[in-house]
Amino acid sequence: MEYFFHLATQICLLTILAQSLSLLAGFCGQVSLAHASFYAIGAYCAAILATSTDASFAIIVFSALALSAALGALLAVISIRTVDDYYIIITIGFQFLIYGLTNNWISLTNGPNGITGIPTLVVASLNIETRSEWALLCFSVMMTVWLLLYNLSHSPLGQKLRLIGQDEVWAQAIGINVFRYKVVCHAVSACFASLAGILYAHYSGYIDPRSFGIGESILILSAVILGQMRDLRQIFLAATALTLFPELLRFIGIPDQVAASLRQILYGIFLIIYVRLHINKNIRVRA
Amino acid sequence: MQILLNVLHGASLFALIALSFRIPFLVTGFFNIAHATVILFGAYIAYISGVVLDLHWALVLTLIVPISGGIYNVVLYRFFFERPAETASAPWQLLVLSIGVYVLGQNVAAIVWGDNILIGDAWQASSTLSYSNHLISTKQIALTLICLGILFMAWLMLQHTQLGKKIELASENSYLAELLGIETRKVLYVSVCFGGVLANLAGALIFLDIGISPTSSFPFLLNGVVSMILGGLGNVRYLFLGAFTLSTAQNLVAYCFSSSWMTPVTFATLVLFLIARPLGFSGKKIRKTAV
């Protein structure tokens, strides 16, 4: 049962990450490969504050979200002149920058050795220790994020983001401040990703840079694409499939060294098949 | 002196990768991340030919690697990208597809060859030259000269042949090129083939220099792409200027701080350029840097 609660936690975390990216990629039309970097920022912020200071959970969350929002806005400002492929290259660059910082800034992040001994979470005087408690917490956070994003997508802000995603020039022409909304979208998306990072850091008790590389960003983007970019329910199903399907490899008896590569091959094949099947449908969702 | 040689060595390699990426990119119109698998393929072909089969390196570098690279890239494009490229509504869809192809290719290589770094043994025992109290590796000089030679020949082909002119015309406006009687489909495949040749050669040179592992081609591709963006998409000579700028920034950071900061500084350089000079050195306007 512990194993299933662990999988449930992984599914919830990936869903939070993918749904937050869908705000950027699905609504605003900004396909980003930097999402794992905000995941990393949340995780490292939580880990550093939890292990080095006596900061409360509220302060940890506030600090991580504020830092992620600021860096998300910065990414938006830097990439504002770019579209399509150039924008994606900028986000890949940002991803590598954050990875480089977490890997090389040894005095702060402990470099490739990572940060150990991250204490467990205390929420409203409750110690979240067992796998079942973590699964319940992550599920609650996932549903909250889901509800927030659903309301956001059906709000006037969501409509404006959709318009920007469809045609930026036209949106600008009808009076929508495209720059401002893009910055807001990047900041909000980064905040949600950071939240997932905070949960992950406290759940695992140990983090290192390898957990937040470009592969993770590709996985998150895969979940968004397979979830048809904007459909939050489909994204949840895609995150579930991407988490559970490779776990089947464990039961087939494939060696661990090969299993990791096979898992990546499966992600690659999913992406190829899905994009090829849906490419002339614009991979944009029904409203 | 060593730093200068390192800069030149890096710049020539980045320029070669950038050129191999640029030629098909201009005609196809999308960033093909799967190009990293072509570099990887070149490295492994060099390993199999030169180390496993123990063929002469002159034969490997002049025939086996280029021919296999051209064929591989054409097959890759035809199998994965030809149909989607005709129907895609946005270039980022093809880029995402190419990421899937890259992940597939890289992990197949990891399963076949493992994650260890394979090194070209024949080139490891290289001699050194002594110059003004500096020791310079002859291997580095040789690889740099080979790289520059390949670049020069590629530049001659692009600037002074009919084929090069056709590639340029097709990349500017494929419809107009068709009207002028240029078979754009044939030009597309020639440019894909030519890009594959250059990328395969780059992969072979990387293998001879530092060895290869399944994950090592992607950072080189990104360096090439950043060099291309820094240089802009105008004349090819600006591409070398972009590569030189990037290599200088990387080597200065490695000299002053640590080599582990080379990758972050690559993208810091890109960000600075996109803020200060988004059209690169050449200043040629393209859709992707103007909204």
Side-chain angles (χ1 to χ4, degrees):
Chain A
M1 272 315 273
E2 294 286 299
Y3 176 65
F4 290 110
F5 285 128
H6 169 71
L7 286 180
T9 305
Q10 298 295 319
I11 289 168
C12 293
L13 290 176
L14 183 57
T15 302
I16 294 168
L17 288 165
Q19 287 181 342
S20 57
L21 180 59
S22 79
L23 183 69
L24 195 57
F27 288 89
C28 208
Q30 302 286 292
V31 177
S32 167
L33 277 169
H35 218 56
S37 60
F38 299 110
Y39 187 33
I41 289 164
Y44 270 94
C45 204
I48 290 164
L49 287 174
T51 54
S52 312
T53 68
D54 289 327
S56 65
F57 181 62
I59 292 174
I60 290 173
V61 169
F62 178 77
S63 307
L65 294 188
L67 183 61
S68 294
L71 289 173
L74 180 65
L75 177 62
V77 169
I78 289 167
S79 61
I80 202 70
R81 294 187 189 207
T82 60
V83 293
D84 292 336
D85 308 335
Y86 270 47
Y87 172 79
I88 297 178
I89 294 295
I90 289 289
T91 62
I92 293 175
F94 187 84
Q95 168 70 50
F96 272 84
L97 254 174
I98 299 297
Y99 179 85
L101 283 171
T102 56
N103 202 43
N104 299 322
W105 198 345
I106 293 172
S107 59
L108 184 68
T109 65
N110 209 22
N113 295 326
I115 300 176
T116 59
I118 303 167
T120 190
L121 214 51
V122 178
V123 177
S125 308
L126 290 168
N127 270 326
I128 313 293
E129 286 174 337
T130 65
R131 297 266 166 133
S132 58
E133 287 165 357
W134 268 107
L136 190 61
L137 175 67
C138 291
F139 180 76
S140 308
V141 174
M142 181 191 79
M143 292 311 296
T144 307
V145 169
W146 192 329
L147 189 65
L148 284 171
L149 287 171
Y150 179 82
N151 287 333
L152 201 67
S153 65
H154 288 80
S155 69
L157 171 64
Q159 286 176 351
K160 290 191 174 77
L161 292 178
R162 259 196 219 92
L163 287 172
I164 292 168
Q166 290 290 336
D167 192 323
E168 279 184 27
V169 178
W170 181 74
Q172 186 80 38
I174 62 168
I176 295 173
N177 190 330
V178 171
F179 173 72
R180 188 202 302 165
Y181 282 105
K182 273 189 175 180
V183 170
V184 167
C185 192
H186 275 82
V188 171
S189 177
C191 281
F192 284 129
S194 181
L195 192 59
I198 297 168
L199 290 172
Y200 174 74
H202 286 284
Y203 172 67
S204 66
Y206 164 76
I207 54 169
D208 67 10
R210 287 170 302 175
S211 303
F212 310 105
I214 189 75
E216 195 68 21
S217 283
I218 292 172
L219 174 65
I220 298 166
L221 183 62
S222 305
V224 175
I225 290 173
L226 292 174
Q228 301 212 40
M229 303 301 281
R230 287 186 205 160
D231 192 325
L232 298 176
R233 187 174 58 92
Q234 296 257 26
I235 288 170
F236 166 71
L237 293 173
T240 306
L242 285 173
T243 305
L244 293 181
F245 204 78
E247 293 296 319
L248 293 174
L249 297 174
R250 291 180 193 272
F251 300 102
I252 302 173
I254 292 173
D256 286 341
Q257 287 168 318
V258 178
S261 295
L262 267 178
R263 195 176 299 131
Q264 294 293 320
I265 286 172
L266 280 173
Y267 295 151
I269 291 172
F270 279 153
L271 264 181
I272 292 167
I273 292 173
Y274 191 84
V275 172
R276 286 202 66 161
L277 284 175
H278 289 83
I279 199 154
N280 59 351
K281 297 176 191 174
N282 204 13
I283 319 184
R284 295 235 187 248
V285 185
R286 58 198 180 278
Chain B
M1 185 68 188
Q2 183 61 55
I3 294 173
L4 187 63
L5 189 57
N6 288 346
V7 168
L8 199 58
H9 177 66
S12 59
L13 189 60
F14 296 163
L16 182 60
I17 295 170
L19 189 61
S20 74
F21 185 87
R22 180 182 183 273
I23 295 167
F25 165 67
L26 286 178
V27 181
T28 60
F30 75 95
F31 271 43
N32 184 2
I33 300 294
H35 199 69
T37 64
V38 187
I39 298 170
L40 201 60
F41 184 73
Y44 283 114
I45 287 291
Y47 169 72
I48 292 168
S49 323
V51 177
V52 175
L53 299 176
D54 202 24
L55 299 174
H56 198 280
W57 282 105
L59 180 68
V60 171
L61 290 177
T62 54
L63 274 180
I64 297 172
V65 166
I67 291 172
S68 59
I71 293 170
Y72 175 78
N73 209 21
V74 167
V75 168
L76 194 75
Y77 182 83
R78 192 164 169 82
F79 188 74
F80 287 108
F81 300 108
E82 186 183 33
R83 291 276 303 273
E86 290 164 7
T87 54
S89 54
W92 69 261
Q93 295 170 352
L94 294 169
L95 187 145
V96 170
L97 176 62
S98 71
I99 289 171
V101 174
Y102 165 71
V103 169
L104 178 66
Q106 183 222 307
N107 285 282
V108 165
I111 289 175
V112 172
W113 278 289
D115 290 324
N116 298 324
I117 297 174
L118 299 174
I119 299 172
D121 296 329
W123 284 59
Q124 292 313 300
S126 65
S127 59
T128 53
L129 296 173
S130 180
Y131 175 80
S132 181
N133 294 326
H134 300 290
L135 287 176
I136 300 163
S137 156
T138 51
K139 181 176 81 169
Q140 198 175 29
I141 295 172
L143 290 174
T144 305
L145 288 173
I146 292 171
C147 220
L148 289 172
I150 296 168
L151 276 168
F152 180 67
M153 284 191 288
W155 175 78
L156 277 178
M157 194 285 259
L158 288 170
Q159 296 293 317
H160 298 287
T161 64
Q162 283 285 325
L163 181 60
K165 302 281 183 227
K166 284 180 183 175
I167 290 173
E168 192 182 337
L169 278 169
S171 65
E172 289 284 345
N173 192 321
S174 58
Y175 295 114
L176 207 57
E178 284 276 0
L179 288 174
L180 291 172
I182 295 169
E183 292 178 64
T184 51
R185 192 182 162 82
K186 196 186 281 187
V187 168
L188 182 136
Y189 275 102
V190 167
S191 58
V192 167
C193 180
F194 192 46
V197 166
L198 295 178
N200 240 36
L201 283 168
L205 293 174
I206 292 168
F207 167 72
L208 289 170
D209 189 14
I210 57 172
I212 195 74
S213 71
T215 54
S216 56
S217 63
F218 191 62
F220 278 102
L221 175 71
L222 288 178
N223 284 330
V225 169
V226 171
S227 301
M228 186 187 80
I229 296 172
L230 297 187
L233 291 173
N235 198 296
V236 174
R237 64 173 176 266
Y238 291 106
L239 195 140
F240 191 81
L241 189 57
F244 191 81
T245 305
L246 179 63
S247 186
T248 305
Q250 285 189 345
N251 281 281
L252 280 176
V253 161
Y255 178 71
C256 297
F257 300 100
S258 158
S259 59
S260 54
W261 289 101
M262 287 169 79
T263 303
V265 88
T266 299
F267 293 98
T269 310
L270 175 64
V271 165
L272 284 171
F273 254 76
L274 281 172
I275 293 170
R277 198 177 167 87
L279 303 179
F281 283 116
S282 73
K284 183 175 178 184
K285 272 198 175 199
I286 56 168
R287 170 79 175 86
K288 295 181 197 292
T289 54
V291 176

